[in-house]
Amino acid sequence: MDYNNLSREKLIEALETMETELEKERNEKQEFEELAKKNKADLENYKKKQDERKERWQNLAKEELAEDLIEVIDNLERALEAADEETAVVQGVDMVKDQLYQTLNAEGLEIIETGEEFNPEIHKAVETREHEEYEPKTILEEKRKGYTYGDKVLRPAEVIVAEESGEEDSTSEN
């Protein structure tokens, strides 16, 4: 369009049309920029969620493997207990057991320390015995080791727990 030959009113009208179109283009540009920012944020959130899912799946797989390998450790310990004498084979089996546990420990597996007092969150009472020397709920013996993986108990320690004696305390009043 040749603006040199237009009247002042036509120039003002053309300028107003151009300003309107420019404003429309600016608004469109701003909408596209906002949409791009939103899409970028959505993509970042998606990646973050995928990373969290991946980590959860990896931890679950490690946890399941640790549960399976606990049985292998148990079997190696039973084999060592059944051995009559200290031979090179027995020492080798003991080294393999220790190496397996160290590998699992590096991934987060821990043996539950039984302590003295029964804790139902980490112990499983497989038997109770009356015992005059110990307070009730005192662990008398560990029958099977327990394990945790991270904050989760994979297998509670199986223990024998002291229970109250059936005798009445002669100093108590009726």
Side-chain angles (χ1 to χ4, degrees), residues 154-166:
L154 292 183
R155 181 176 78 191
E158 295 180 0
V159 295
I160 298 174
V161 181
E163 67 179 9
E164 288 187 46
S165 167

Side-chain angles (χ1 to χ4, degrees), residues 137-148:
K137 296 188 179 182
T138 299
I139 295 174
L140 301 174
E141 182 181 336
E142 179 183 69
K143 296 299 275 181
R144 188 170 162 192
K145 288 181 183 172
Y147 294 90
T148 60

Side-chain angles (χ1 to χ4, degrees), residues 75-86:
N75 289 334
L76 290 171
E77 287 177 346
R78 280 192 282 275
L80 291 170
E81 288 173 11
D84 290 339
E85 55 189 76
E86 186 74 18

Side-chain angles (χ1 to χ4, degrees), residues 6-151:
L6 292 178
S7 67
R8 180 174 172 86
E9 290 82 28
K10 290 286 183 184
L11 282 173
I12 291 174
E13 189 178 300
L15 182 60
E16 288 173 351
T17 302
M18 283 187 222
E19 286 177 346
T20 302
E21 287 178 15
L22 181 60
E23 186 63 29
K24 181 180 168 187
E25 294 296 325
R26 284 183 180 150
N27 288 339
E28 246 182 68
K29 177 186 174 220
Q30 186 176 1
E31 287 175 18
F32 283 128
E33 286 175 346
E34 289 173 6
L35 183 60
K37 286 178 185 177
K38 181 185 177 296
N39 286 337
K40 182 179 179 184
D42 288 346
L43 180 61
E44 288 173 6
N45 288 337
Y46 174 78
K47 285 180 180 180
K48 190 181 202 180
K49 284 181 183 178
Q50 286 302 99
D51 288 345
E52 289 170 0
R53 274 191 199 111
K54 179 182 174 185
E55 186 176 338
R56 263 196 324 271
W57 280 105
Q58 286 174 337
N59 285 337
L60 183 61
K62 287 179 184 179
E63 185 180 305
E64 288 176 2
L65 179 61
E67 283 179 329
D68 292 342
L69 291 177
I70 286 171
E71 298 301 321
V72 174
I73 292 172
D74 288 345
N75 289 334
L76 290 171
E77 287 177 346
R78 280 192 282 275
L80 291 170
E81 288 173 11
D84 290 339
E85 55 189 76
E86 186 74 18
T87 64
V89 172
V90 171
Q91 290 174 348
V93 170
D94 193 34
M95 289 172 57
V96 168
K97 177 196 63 107
D98 289 345
Q99 183 181 18
L100 177 59
Y101 175 72
Q102 288 171 2
T103 300
L104 290 170
N105 183 257
E107 292 298 323
L109 184 76
E110 295 282 338
I111 295 174
I112 294 174
E113 298 297 325
T114 55
E116 292 184 15
E117 188 173 331
F118 178 77
N119 177 349
E121 292 180 7
I122 59 172
H123 300 125
K124 178 180 179 182
V126 293
E127 185 179 333
T128 57
R129 292 184 189 156
E130 286 187 14
H131 208 287
E132 294 177 12
E133 293 179 34
Y134 295 100
E135 292 289 320
K137 296 188 179 182
T138 299
I139 295 174
L140 301 174
E141 182 181 336
E142 179 183 69
K143 296 299 275 181
R144 188 170 162 192
K145 288 181 183 172
Y147 294 90
T148 60
Y149 181 79
D151 294 335

